[in-house]
Amino acid sequence: MSKSEKLFAEATQIIPGGVNSPVRACRSVGSDPIFVDHGRGARIFDVDGKSYLDFVSSWGPLICGHATPWVTHALEEAIKKGTSFGAPTEGETKLAGLINENYPSMEMVRLVNSGTEAGMSVIRLARGFTGRDKIVKFQGCYHGHADSLLVSAGSGVATLGIPGCPGIPAALAELTLTVPYNDVNALTETFAKHGKDIAAVIVEPVAGNMGVVLPEPDFLPAIEKLTREHGALFICDEVITGFRLTVGGAQKHFGLKPDLTMLGKIIGGGLPLAAFGGRREVMESLAPVGGVYQAGTLSGNPLAVAAGIAAVEYLMRETSVYGRIRQSSLRWSSGLLEAAKSHGFNVCGNQIGSMSTMFFTEGPVRDYESALKSDTGLYGQFWRGMLERGFWLAPSQFEATFTSAGMIPDDIEAALDAANETLKAMKK
Ligand SMILES: Cc1ncc(COP(=O)(O)O)c(C=O)c1O
């Protein structure tokens, strides 16, 4: 029995499924999880001493790889002063300022601990500000596990095939209207029918939680236009794309001006930190200025803030990172598609910046319905073959593959060699 197997057996006795977040259990790819000992650069090392090239990057935060010296140093300095005060610290204003500098639509910012918390908070804020109850989300998008946002959600909900989540009151779920991603007609019809009751439309500007799905050219502008026309708020969930697609995120890349934005993952440098922000008059509806209550014992935690500032300042300084991770991603995704096709698999792929997914379906994949046509059994075989060869991919077809700045071109070529061998050995 390996040490990972032993630790997993122990964990399942005390932690449901042995994991603290469902996709980590690796069930959909027919495996047990590996237990990680440490990470360095582009690699993670398991408790049995095996190393893996990491295409998961802790599900997005680690755009530059593991244990980067600038984040580690910032943490060492911060921890000497204490770990939490529950009173304001200078770093919080500095990080909010850095966010505003790169995301001018976020005129005011509040720091929280997770993307889920950011999502839950923006929905309450949008409802409080507009005095309306309904929200619109797109099928297959994931915005965290708050009650209103788990309807037709991607990520683990898609991976495990959970149709509706027990515990979410139907009366609340009914207030979430869902529309297929990229479907401007359906969105227009939804506004025609419910326009005066819609508080907000929330979207991942590039979907990353049904696998990577790109917005078609008219999609995001249509959301912006329809929300403006109907007095609803446009919420851009940049928890994945923020500081990843460009330093200014998807809103800079696509030229968007959302009313509210959610950030997470990268802005915490690998520590639990997220943020939401937007138009001043909307944000001033929050307590203590306005009546919409939102709070947190550890919000703006000094360690998370120090790591976040170090991560963000590095990306603002070293902008060549974006070209490198994009190049790696392009090479990986085009090489992988070519290899899979040469071995006779029906596949298609979506790629942008450092994000990509190869789907085991003919495609094209442009929404949740087309993503769900993927053969997840084949993905599982592919994933297990890659793991065996020392490559750590997301343990689900419905997630993004991230390249990190820790990777060098030889790493990608080695990954493609391993993919070729794996695909060759797979049973159709
Ligand atoms: C787009 C998006 N929004 C929100 C979240 C929720 O963030 P967290 O897992 O930090 O709660 C995620 C998590 O993967 C995400 O991908």
Side-chain angles (χ1 to χ4, degrees):
M1 199 186 224
S2 70
K3 203 165 167 194
S4 260
E5 284 167 341
K6 187 170 169 288
L7 289 175
F8 185 51
E10 281 168 20
T12 52
Q13 299 304 308
I14 183 89
I15 300 173
V19 289
N20 283 310
S21 193
V23 219
R24 292 182 199 169
C26 300
R27 285 192 181 181
S28 82
V29 287
S31 176
D32 286 343
I34 51 164
F35 272 58
V36 177
D37 180 68
H38 66 282
R40 178 91 41 217
R43 287 175 196 282
I44 52 171
F45 298 78
D46 72 13
V47 287
D48 294 291
K50 185 170 173 187
S51 90
Y52 305 83
L53 188 69
D54 181 7
F55 284 99
V56 183
S57 301
S58 185
W59 303 91
L62 303 180
I63 188 167
C64 288
H66 295 267
T68 52
W70 50 96
V71 170
T72 307
H73 177 72
L75 282 170
E76 282 165 357
E77 290 305 305
I79 208 165
K80 288 180 197 158
K81 294 183 172 182
T83 54
S84 180
F85 311 112
T89 53
E90 196 177 339
E92 294 165 61
T93 315
K94 181 168 179 186
L95 182 56
L98 290 171
I99 289 172
N100 168 260
E101 195 178 327
N102 292 290
Y103 296 76
S105 74
M106 298 173 77
E107 293 168 356
M108 300 196 92
V109 176
R110 187 158 273 180
L111 303 180
V112 291
N113 303 290
S114 70
T116 292
E117 226 185 304
M120 183 185 87
S121 306
V122 287
I123 293 304
R124 181 177 305 146
L125 179 56
R127 286 175 167 154
F129 178 77
T130 59
R132 301 171 177 184
D133 287 342
K134 294 200 164 117
I135 56 164
V136 178
K137 81 173 279 291
F138 296 95
Q139 292 154 14
C141 283
Y142 179 69
H143 307 289
H145 66 90
D147 285 352
S148 291
L149 293 170
L150 216 50
V151 182
S152 286
S155 192
V157 184
T159 304
L160 302 174
I162 296 174
C165 177
I168 298 181
L172 187 61
E174 278 161 16
L175 296 175
T176 303
L177 310 173
T178 70
V179 173
Y181 199 80
N182 275 325
D183 192 338
V184 174
N185 286 340
L187 185 64
T188 308
E189 278 167 27
T190 303
F191 266 104
K193 206 163 158 196
H194 302 280
K196 64 175 183 5
D197 300 321
I198 296 174
V201 177
I202 184 166
V203 68
E204 285 181 76
V206 171
N209 286 291
M210 46 179 147
V212 172
V213 176
L214 307 183
E216 290 168 3
D218 57 343
F219 179 54
L220 299 170
I223 300 176
E224 198 163 289
K225 182 167 170 283
L226 284 163
T227 46
R228 297 278 181 278
E229 282 172 7
H230 291 268
L233 301 185
F234 170 25
I235 304 174
C236 216
D237 179 351
E238 297 230 42
V239 167
I240 290 183
T241 52
F243 289 97
R244 174 170 289 282
L245 219 49
T246 67
V247 85
Q251 48 198 270
K252 173 119 190 250
H253 184 81
F254 295 112
L256 308 170
K257 200 166 184 309
D259 298 294
L260 290 169
T261 298
M262 295 155 59
L263 293 171
K265 301 200 190 259
I266 290 173
I267 59 158
L271 271 81
L273 190 141
F276 65 97
R279 270 166 51 201
R280 181 174 296 274
E281 67 164 326
V282 180
M283 289 299 286
E284 286 190 336
S285 303
L286 282 176
V289 188
V292 179
Y293 195 73
Q294 179 278 333
T297 302
L298 292 175
S299 289
N301 172 265
L303 297 185
V305 165
I309 291 171
V312 165
E313 284 187 331
Y314 181 85
L315 291 170
M316 290 170 69
R317 212 168 45 239
E318 303 289 335
T319 46
S320 65
V321 160
Y322 291 98
R324 279 192 283 133
I325 54 179
R326 179 169 165 273
Q327 229 20 66
S328 300
S329 177
L330 269 171
R331 174 69 190 125
W332 161 252
S333 74
S334 61
L336 180 60
L337 274 176
E338 198 185 304
K341 284 178 182 164
S342 78
H343 290 290
F345 290 96
N346 273 335
V347 288
C348 70
N350 291 331
Q351 187 274 333
I352 186 168
S354 53
M355 303 166 62
S356 68
T357 300
M358 181 176 80
F359 296 92
F360 280 92
T361 177
E362 204 165 9
V365 171
R366 57 182 297 268
D367 55 18
Y368 194 34
E369 194 186 341
S370 42
L372 287 179
K373 292 196 174 125
S374 305
D375 187 327
T376 53
L378 288 179
Y379 184 82
Q381 277 192 63
F382 178 66
W383 184 89
R384 293 193 301 274
M386 290 300 282
L387 186 78
E388 223 174 277
R389 291 170 174 83
F391 297 87
W392 176 239
L393 297 172
S396 162
Q397 169 74 90
F398 306 114
E399 299 285 353
T401 302
F402 297 118
T403 44
S404 80
M407 292 175 178
I408 57 170
D410 281 355
D411 288 327
I412 303 297
E413 295 313 313
L416 287 171
D417 288 346
N420 242 308
E421 275 180 30
T422 302
L423 288 158
K424 193 172 167 200
M426 275 168 58
K427 292 190 182 54
K428 291 203 184 72

